[in-house]
Amino acid sequence: MILKEQYFIIKETALPEIMIKVLQVQQLLKSGDVKTIRAATEQIGISRSVYYKYQDALEPFFENESAQTITISFGLKHAPGILSEVLNTIASFSINVLTINQTIPIRSVAHVMITMETTAASRNLNDLLAELHNITGMRQLKVVGRSR
């Protein structure tokens, strides 16, 4: 029986500290702040063997952001201008909206699903999520999926 490899999205707060440190080593290497795995692992305080064990198993959610789509589900207060503000915020990141699906408001909350193509994103997608989360009238925001 061949087991199919599975992938999961896990919040950073649920990861063991060692895995977060592996991600920190990856970031140091990617940024060029250090030149070798040895230097990076020493700076972060983990062994090279731990790094090698997990290096291919961990990837930040928004790593390799070019040529991908992302789908976000929103719960928006039923009020004029809120969806427009969401779309303007997305546009300010140079992100192309592919689809928008919206339900009729129930209990003054409209549920919206937006799929966007992020190849030309001008800023980090974590920043986008933070800005969207802070929109007045935002009741719920959840990343539903992404693809490359």
Side-chain angles (χ1 to χ4, degrees), residues 8-141:
F8 302 92
I9 296 174
I10 301 171
K11 289 183 180 180
E12 180 180 9
T13 56
L15 286 174
E17 182 180 357
I18 196 68
M19 291 187 178
I20 292 170
K21 288 185 175 193
V22 170
L23 289 167
Q24 291 171 339
V25 169
Q26 290 175 340
Q27 185 60 38
L28 279 175
L29 292 166
K30 182 179 176 182
S31 70
D33 290 343
V34 295
K35 301 294 183 208
T36 66
I37 292 171
R38 179 184 176 117
T41 55
E42 284 178 359
Q43 184 173 331
I44 298 300
I46 62 172
S47 69
R48 284 182 297 153
S49 64
V50 167
Y51 174 75
Y52 288 125
K53 180 177 181 178
Y54 294 114
Q55 71 175 343
D56 294 329
L58 294 169
E59 179 181 341
F61 185 67
F62 290 121
E63 194 67 26
N64 301 319
E65 294 176 2
S66 64
Q68 77 175 22
T69 60
I70 183 169
T71 301
I72 302 176
S73 171
F74 302 92
L76 303 177
K77 179 180 177 187
H78 179 58
I82 296 175
L83 179 56
S84 177
E85 188 174 350
V86 168
L87 295 173
N88 287 333
T89 301
I90 292 168
S92 74
F93 280 72
S94 302
I95 293 173
N96 186 33
V97 172
L98 300 173
T99 64
I100 302 173
N101 296 301
Q102 180 177 349
T103 65
I104 294 172
I106 299 171
R107 296 186 185 118
S108 296
V109 176
H111 293 280
V112 179
M113 186 92 66
I114 299 177
T115 299
M116 49 202 109
E117 193 264 320
T118 61
T119 302
S122 61
R123 293 171 29 209
N124 184 288
L125 295 178
N126 285 317
D127 294 340
L128 171 66
L129 294 177
E131 285 192 29
L132 290 170
H133 184 68
N134 289 328
I135 291 175
T136 301
M138 182 68 64
R139 298 292 184 251
Q140 174 260 337
L141 181 148

Side-chain angles (χ1 to χ4, degrees), residues 1-6:
M1 175 163 125
I2 299 174
L3 294 177
K4 181 180 174 187
E5 190 168 22
Q6 294 184 14

